[in-house]
């Protein structure tokens, strides 16, 4: 084997090694599975890193596509920076939240349909600039995809309250409900006109909790009164829970 052939083989081996190292530098953190209420919305948390270093959003092109499908084809994308390449039945229902320049690939899907299962994968491409001309820096995170678990009935609120109320003393009841769409938070309403405090908090992996804290001073006439908390979800579905107040 002559020197030129040996040199070419060495270059090929080096290129393969570099390619493997480069691929290892493309990483994504995507929730593997998340519940989605049919008719409502879901927010899929996602973050990523890439070999391009710190780049502004204008230098990055994003897409979410069906696993195993070519993202450059219109019928395979549920989101694409080029809106003309989004699958027709997803147009107007998906958008990216946050900034790509901050490595945020979080996806929102609205008007959830019972066939929106996925799995869906994120892809990022580095472009040259305003012309959106592609470079060789691109990667589909095919091993970090999300599946949506279709939920047809909304979660029922959970009620937390003391066993009994005392006449003339402050009484507090808490109503909480789980959801997966922090951009359209469920509303919690009581059948009791008084002050209440509402909180929203992240529990884990895209699952959120909304709480309503009701505080009032019960009277004798409130004994055996039924308290109801109703959760209203994006898309119009509702669910409720209730308990009977016992006043000492």
């Amino acid at each position: 084997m002559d020197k030129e052939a040996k040199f070419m083989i060495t270059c090929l081996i080096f290129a393969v090694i570099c390619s493997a190292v480069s691929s290892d530098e493309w990483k994504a953190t995507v929730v593997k599975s998340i519940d989605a209420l049919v008719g409502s919305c879901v927010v899929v948390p996602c973050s990523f890193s890439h070999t391009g270093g710190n780049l502004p959003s204008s230098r990055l092109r994003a897409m979410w596509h069906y696993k195993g499908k070519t993202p450059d084809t219109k019928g395979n994308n549920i989101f694409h920076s080029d809106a003309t390449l989004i699958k027709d039945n997803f147009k107007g229902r998906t958008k990216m939240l946050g900034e790509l320049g901050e490595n945020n690939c979080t996806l929102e899907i609205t008007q959830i349909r019972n066939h929106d299962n996925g799995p869906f994968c994120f892809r990022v491409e580095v472009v040259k600039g305003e012309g959106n001309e592609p470079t060789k820096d691109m990667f589909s995170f095919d091993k970090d995809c999300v599946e949506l678990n279709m939920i047809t009935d909304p979660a029922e609120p959970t009620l937390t309250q003391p066993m009994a109320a005392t006449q003339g003393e402050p009484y507090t009841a808490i109503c909480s409900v789980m959801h997966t769409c922090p951009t359209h938070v469920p509303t919690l309403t009581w059948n009791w006109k008084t002050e209440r405090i509402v909180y929203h908090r992240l529990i884990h992996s895209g699952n959120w909790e909304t709480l309503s804290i009701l505080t009032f001073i019960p009277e004798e006439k409130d004994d055996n009164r039924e308290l109801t908390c109703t959760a209203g979800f994006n898309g119009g579905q509702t669910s409720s829970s209730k308990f009977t107040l016992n006043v000492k």
Side-chain angles (χ1 to χ4, degrees):
M1 186 181 293
D2 57 29
K3 290 183 178 180
E4 184 176 351
K6 288 181 179 180
F7 177 75
M8 289 297 293
I9 291 173
T10 301
C11 288
L12 286 172
I13 294 173
F14 180 74
V16 170
I17 293 173
C18 287
S19 176
V21 172
S22 178
S23 294
D24 286 342
E25 293 177 0
W26 296 78
K27 299 183 184 299
T29 301
V30 184
V31 61
K32 299 294 184 184
S33 177
I34 191 168
D35 291 342
L37 177 61
V38 174
S40 185
C41 52
V42 66
V43 171
V44 179
C46 172
S47 61
F48 69 100
S49 60
H50 55 85
T51 56
N54 294 323
L55 293 172
S57 296
S58 59
R59 290 288 314 280
L60 297 169
R61 179 163 56 194
M63 56 213 73
W64 280 85
H65 60 91
Y66 281 94
K67 185 174 184 178
K69 302 293 185 179
T70 305
D72 293 333
T73 304
K74 176 181 177 180
N76 298 333
N77 303 307
I78 66 169
F79 174 84
H80 198 291
S81 294
D82 180 352
T84 64
L85 295 177
I86 298 176
K87 187 176 176 67
D88 286 341
N89 66 347
F90 277 96
K91 283 186 175 179
R93 296 201 294 127
T94 58
K95 70 176 180 179
M96 299 286 291
L97 303 179
E99 293 290 333
L100 288 173
E102 298 174 359
N103 296 344
N104 186 339
C105 47
T106 298
L107 176 74
E108 179 193 60
I109 308 175
T110 59
Q111 303 171 41
I112 292 292
R113 300 171 184 174
N114 56 14
H115 55 267
D116 291 343
N117 307 77
F120 305 121
C121 311
F122 175 66
R123 177 180 175 87
V124 63
E125 298 178 354
V126 180
V127 295
K128 292 182 179 179
E130 294 182 1
N132 245 0
E133 298 177 14
T135 67
K136 293 182 179 180
D137 292 324
M138 57 184 68
F139 198 76
S140 285
F141 301 97
D142 290 328
K143 294 182 179 179
D144 300 282
C145 306
V146 61
E147 288 192 70
L148 306 187
N149 303 318
M150 297 295 109
I151 305 297
T152 55
D153 297 317
E156 291 186 358
T158 298
L159 293 172
T160 305
Q161 77 283 340
M163 293 298 295
T166 301
Q167 181 181 344
E169 295 185 6
Y171 181 86
T172 298
I174 301 173
C175 177
S176 62
V177 69
M178 299 293 297
H179 65 95
T180 56
C181 191
T183 54
H184 298 82
V185 176
T187 59
L188 293 175
T189 56
W190 297 85
N191 63 337
W192 193 292
K193 294 182 179 180
T194 187
E195 293 285 333
R196 67 183 188 277
I197 301 173
V198 178
Y199 292 101
H200 310 291
R201 63 182 182 182
L202 175 65
I203 302 301
H204 64 84
S205 304
N207 290 277
W208 292 75
E209 183 181 40
T210 297
L211 304 95
S212 178
I213 302 175
L214 178 72
T215 300
F216 61 96
I217 297 177
E219 301 176 10
E220 183 179 358
K221 65 180 181 179
D222 296 324
D223 189 33
N224 292 321
R225 179 172 177 176
E226 196 170 76
L227 266 70
T228 303
C229 177
T230 301
F233 296 84
N234 172 260
Q237 293 202 62
T238 62
S239 63
S240 61
S241 295
K242 59 186 177 182
F243 70 95
T244 301
L245 185 66
N246 296 312
V247 180
K248 292 181 180 181

